[in-house]
Amino acid sequence: MLYVCLGLAIYDLRHLTDIFFCDKEQFIYDLPARLGKCTESEAYADAVRFYTGALPIFKAYGDSSFQDCKRASEEAIAIVIKNLQGKLFSDSESTHARAEAAVLLKQLDFPVDSLKAKLLEKLEQSLGDLQLKDEDLSNCLLKSNDPSKQEKTTELVPSTIHEASVREFVEAVQAYRVIFPDAEKQLIRLVQDLVTKNFETAEQYGKKRISSADLLGVLRMIWKDVLLMDEVLHEAVLSEFSLEAAQITVKHYVASQFSLLLHDISDALTKVYVGQKEGMEECPLQVALEASKKAVLQGSMDVLLEFRQLLDDKIGVLVKLKDLIIDWVQEGFQEFFRALDNRFLLLSGRNNSSSPVQGLEGTQGDKVLVGLVLVLAQLSVFIEQTAIPRITEEIAASFSGGGVRGYENGPAFVPGEICRIFRSSGEKLLHHYINMRNQKISILLRKRLTTPNWVKHKEPREVHMFVDLFLQELRAIADEVKQILPQGLQRRHRRTDSNGSTTSSRSNPLREDKLSRSTTQKARSQLLETHLAKLFKQKVEIFTKVEYTQESVITTIVKLSLKSLQEFVRLQTYNRSGFQQIQLDVQYLRTPLKETVEDEAAIDFLLDEVIVAAAERCLDPIPLEPPILDKLIQAKLAKTRDLNAVSP
């Protein structure tokens, strides 16, 4: 009985095995068709499950019993693999679908690493569309400044298009990270590179003449990108990474604003040349001075307003940079005014006398340059007395704090130092203007004294024409200073109230001897004797401190000119007629010069010094008699009046 039962059991087992084998065999035969149906219905997970389930049988019998089925199945699964690759690289597919495609490809032992590299390459290529372009930002700026274009355009603004592209990129990064969890380093490098390049574009954009609102718009766009990418890739720490790039961008923007301000002030000053050459302005120096004052003060206030908007904005990255921005603004003004002082030095020609200002050669350019020096001198006073206090007040109100640079380095903005710089520069420029004007007059005087043969000079018939040229130069100087400098207190130093420390180089007896040879001049000699006697008790003040007034500058130039004339006179030898010509010219100059200056006593004294110097160098120093002297002077005055009447 036992053997019978055992035999039946063995029979049933063999029967069941035959039945199972028959089902497997049928499954293998049906596999190509099953895979085709799964492909049509996009049931790729079932296709992969069916194919991987049949792989053991194909490995065992694929080269014999199921050779045709194996080949057909491989052809079908190749189509599945191709479709899965397409889903993986498709931007229209969801992240889940793309991740599922990657998993199925891995189950099929497909070399996923090659797909990983290709997908990363695709992400890198997409960065080109995400990077901000300088021309796009410029076009956006043009549209924002042109209301007509704003009304007519119905397109998406660049920022909206950019945001949509960034969101697509973020989704791609998120999918890539799910599909390839070990690709974190590559993704971090990718997003950091994108942020760096966008900040570099913003940096170049900030160097243009744009408002802080324009820069803030770009920074907001970049910061929004950073926050979006930070959500899917925390390990990149983009917020902190962006801080350094934003710091460079904002710092360069602050520096560029100061550079543009310096350029604007230079432009305002160079209007002197344009106005003078084209004859467009009646008072080119005054126009240039007022324009440059406005450029300095109003330009500085405008720049501070732009910087204030940076501080007030709530962009996360700017909030972190607040103290640094305050330091940059204060340091920027300190360096700006130093650079402005150097620019004044360049424009004045004091650093290179052989080539004062490029492109301004010739008489006209030289004339304008001299006037520009006076403008620079007065502008220096304005900066010291008005601009610096106003800017200091605004900085204290809106840009206090900072201190990131370290207290050991001292304060970033030191208004006292800037005031000292421009006070010193103003004085130097004023003296430079006086010296330049005096140098030109000295050339005229030297030519006059060295040209004739004074020993053979003929009897004087009229006042020499050099006097007209001399007075013409003084009128040109007066025209310049009236445009730039204020009037003084109108106090005139008469011979009775002059005092000082500079003495005459001539003694009282010699002067009396030279001017008293004619009995017809006894009265004059007595007056001169009285005056010279008084000089020993109360000396004439020749050279005083130059003030920023019309009278002070003109008086100083006249005094220097007369001292030059005295020195040139001493270098010649005269006959009687030559000495009388000098006497006539000097006597004619007395009235117009004393009407021009504020110190009549010093001018009288210097004119007397010229006559005495000529007398000392004269072989026969007999002066003209007063009637003849007056007659020649009156003739010159009448001739001058006639010429003025004819002239328009």
Side-chain angles (χ1 to χ4, degrees):
M1 186 66 180
L2 179 63
Y3 289 105
V4 173
C5 292
L6 184 58
L8 290 173
I10 293 172
Y11 172 79
D12 292 338
L13 181 60
R14 287 176 178 174
H15 181 68
L16 290 173
T17 302
D18 290 340
I19 294 173
F20 176 76
F21 184 77
C22 288
D23 291 341
K24 278 286 187 179
E25 184 178 5
Q26 188 62 40
F27 173 78
I28 295 300
Y29 284 125
D30 294 340
L31 183 58
R34 286 175 180 269
L35 293 177
K37 291 180 180 180
C38 291
T39 302
E40 292 177 359
S41 61
E42 297 186 358
Y44 300 117
D46 291 339
V48 172
R49 180 166 53 83
F50 292 151
Y51 182 75
T52 54
L55 283 178
I57 297 176
F58 284 148
K59 289 180 180 179
Y61 305 103
D63 295 333
S64 56
S65 303
F66 302 109
Q67 186 175 3
D68 293 337
C69 291
K70 178 184 178 184
R71 184 172 59 255
S73 298
E74 288 176 346
E75 292 175 355
I77 203 65
I79 297 175
V80 172
I81 290 174
K82 181 179 179 181
N83 291 348
L84 288 175
Q85 285 181 308
K87 292 179 74 68
L88 182 62
F89 286 100
S90 175
D91 295 331
S92 61
E93 295 290 342
S94 65
T95 302
H96 175 74
R98 297 168 73 180
E100 182 184 26
V103 171
L104 294 177
L105 288 171
K106 288 180 181 180
Q107 292 177 3
L108 294 173
D109 293 330
F110 189 85
V112 181
D113 287 341
S114 63
L115 297 179
K116 176 181 176 181
K118 290 181 179 179
L119 192 57
L120 183 62
E121 183 180 353
K122 184 178 180 181
L123 282 176
E124 290 178 346
Q125 292 174 352
S126 67
L127 290 181
D129 298 330
L130 299 178
Q131 290 176 13
L132 298 175
K133 304 294 190 303
D134 187 67
E135 56 269 20
D136 294 336
L137 296 177
S138 299
N139 291 335
C140 185
L141 173 61
L142 289 174
K143 288 184 178 181
S144 65
N145 293 334
D146 191 342
S148 62
K149 291 185 178 181
Q150 289 181 350
E151 294 174 0
K152 294 178 181 179
T153 182
T154 57
E155 299 175 340
L156 289 174
V157 294
S159 60
T160 305
I161 299 174
H162 175 78
E163 183 179 351
S165 300
V166 171
R167 289 189 180 277
E168 292 179 3
F169 175 76
V170 168
E171 290 179 0
V173 170
Q174 184 179 13
Y176 193 95
R177 191 176 184 190
V178 172
I179 298 167
F180 307 110
D182 59 339
E184 180 180 296
K185 290 184 179 180
Q186 293 95 321
L187 292 176
I188 291 176
R189 178 186 60 79
L190 208 62
V191 296
Q192 287 182 346
D193 185 55
L194 172 62
V195 171
T196 299
K197 290 182 177 179
N198 281 346
F199 271 113
E200 288 175 352
T201 302
E203 177 185 339
Q204 296 301 318
Y205 182 60
K207 292 180 180 179
K208 298 183 177 182
R209 191 178 292 276
I210 63 171
S211 66
S212 58
D214 296 322
L215 180 66
L216 288 171
V218 178
L219 293 179
R220 288 192 192 96
M221 194 184 305
I222 298 175
W223 187 245
K224 187 178 291 184
D225 296 348
V226 168
L227 296 180
L228 285 173
M229 290 184 285
D230 237 0
E231 293 178 0
V232 298
L233 199 60
H234 306 290
E235 294 78 4
V237 198
L238 287 181
S239 298
E240 296 299 324
F241 176 82
S242 302
L243 189 61
E244 182 177 355
Q247 178 177 333
I248 296 173
T249 299
V250 177
K251 185 175 183 179
H252 284 183
Y253 171 75
V254 172
S256 70
Q257 293 302 299
F258 284 116
S259 296
L260 291 171
L261 178 58
L262 183 62
H263 183 270
D264 291 342
I265 296 171
S266 298
D267 278 352
L269 290 169
T270 53
K271 286 181 180 179
V272 176
Y273 308 110
V274 177
Q276 187 76 19
K277 288 182 177 181
E278 298 181 359
M280 296 172 58
E281 301 291 348
E282 185 176 346
C283 300
L285 299 183
Q286 183 179 1
V287 171
L289 177 61
E290 295 305 319
S292 56
K293 283 182 178 180
K294 182 178 180 181
V296 171
L297 185 55
Q298 189 58 49
S300 298
M301 293 299 103
D302 291 343
V303 164
L304 284 170
L305 180 61
E306 297 291 343
F307 296 155
R308 182 64 191 177
Q309 291 184 21
L310 294 179
L311 289 182
D312 292 341
D313 201 273
K314 301 303 180 183
I315 300 177
V317 69
L318 289 182
V319 172
K320 297 178 181 179
L321 294 176
K322 182 176 181 180
D323 288 339
L324 279 173
I325 292 175
I326 291 175
D327 279 348
W328 294 336
V329 171
Q330 295 188 12
E331 291 174 358
F333 267 110
Q334 191 77 8
E335 294 303 319
F336 162 74
F337 280 113
R338 287 173 179 165
L340 185 61
D341 180 60
N342 291 332
R343 183 63 59 90
F344 286 4
L345 181 67
L346 175 65
L347 291 174
S348 69
R350 291 181 60 234
N351 63 335
N352 186 0
S353 58
S354 62
S355 178
V357 177
Q358 185 177 2
L360 294 175
E361 296 82 359
T363 304
Q364 187 74 6
D366 294 340
K367 178 180 179 181
V368 177
L369 175 61
V370 177
L372 178 60
V373 174
L374 186 61
V375 173
L376 294 173
Q378 187 64 13
L379 184 58
S380 297
V381 176
F382 173 79
I383 292 173
E384 177 209 349
Q385 298 180 356
T386 304
I388 296 299
R390 181 71 183 87
I391 292 170
T392 303
E393 182 181 320
E394 183 63 26
I395 288 177
S398 303
F399 295 88
S400 59
V404 178
R405 67 196 300 269
Y407 290 102
E408 66 276 5
N409 297 322
F413 179 60
V414 186
E417 177 185 345
I418 300 300
C419 287
R420 286 192 297 272
I421 289 175
F422 280 93
R423 184 184 309 119
S424 174
S425 294
E427 293 174 355
K428 291 176 181 177
L429 288 166
L430 188 62
H431 283 91
H432 186 45
Y433 170 79
I434 292 172
N435 291 334
M436 293 175 75
R437 275 304 186 187
N438 181 62
Q439 184 179 12
K440 187 173 182 180
I441 294 175
S442 295
I443 294 173
L444 171 66
L445 299 177
R446 182 188 296 113
K447 185 176 181 180
R448 162 58 183 151
L449 269 298
T450 57
T451 300
N453 185 348
W454 292 100
V455 177
K456 297 181 179 181
H457 202 281
K458 296 181 180 180
E459 183 180 345
R461 299 296 183 183
E462 62 179 358
V463 177
H464 194 271
M465 63 175 296
F466 102 91
V467 173
D468 295 326
L469 298 176
F470 178 42
L471 294 176
Q472 181 179 342
E473 285 296 323
L474 293 181
R475 284 193 294 270
I477 295 170
D479 181 63
E480 288 179 349
V481 298
K482 287 177 181 177
Q483 293 183 58
I484 301 302
L485 299 176
Q487 288 185 333
L489 299 178
Q490 297 294 336
R491 57 185 177 87
R492 290 184 176 270
H493 294 273
R494 306 290 179 180
R495 297 182 73 88
T496 55
D497 62 3
S498 296
N499 53 61
S501 58
T502 305
T503 65
S504 168
S505 59
R506 303 293 160 222
S507 62
N508 183 21
L510 178 61
R511 182 183 300 274
E512 182 180 358
D513 180 63
K514 299 296 183 182
L515 298 180
S516 304
R517 292 182 181 272
S518 174
T519 57
T520 59
Q521 290 188 272
K522 289 183 179 180
R524 176 176 173 79
S525 299
Q526 290 174 356
L527 290 174
L528 185 59
E529 180 181 4
T530 303
H531 168 62
L532 293 176
K534 186 178 179 181
L535 290 179
F536 288 96
K537 299 180 180 179
Q538 186 175 347
K539 298 175 183 179
V540 177
E541 185 179 16
I542 303 298
F543 295 105
T544 58
K545 180 181 178 181
V546 183
E547 304 291 341
Y548 288 90
T549 63
Q550 299 173 16
E551 296 81 6
S552 179
V553 170
I554 294 175
T555 299
T556 302
I557 293 175
V558 171
K559 288 177 179 178
L560 289 172
S561 300
L562 293 181
K563 287 296 292 184
S564 298
L565 178 61
Q566 178 187 358
E567 296 302 320
F568 293 140
V569 166
R570 284 176 177 170
L571 298 177
Q572 306 300 323
T573 302
Y574 308 89
N575 62 4
R576 180 190 301 180
S577 297
F579 168 68
Q580 291 175 348
Q581 182 69 59
I582 297 294
Q583 179 194 8
L584 173 61
D585 295 341
V586 169
Q587 188 63 28
Y588 178 80
L589 284 172
R590 286 185 187 274
T591 300
L593 289 185
K594 289 195 290 184
E595 289 176 351
T596 304
V597 302
E598 63 179 356
D599 191 352
E600 296 180 7
I603 299 305
D604 261 337
F605 180 79
L606 289 171
L607 289 171
D608 289 344
E609 287 279 270
V610 173
I611 296 177
V612 170
E616 287 184 345
R617 299 291 299 168
C618 181
L619 301 175
D620 185 17
I622 299 177
L624 286 170
E625 296 182 1
I628 299 176
L629 190 64
D630 292 340
K631 180 180 179 181
L632 294 174
I633 291 176
Q634 291 301 320
K636 176 63 176 177
L637 292 174
K639 183 178 180 181
T640 303
R641 284 194 297 269
D642 293 341
L643 290 175
N644 292 337
V646 174
S647 301

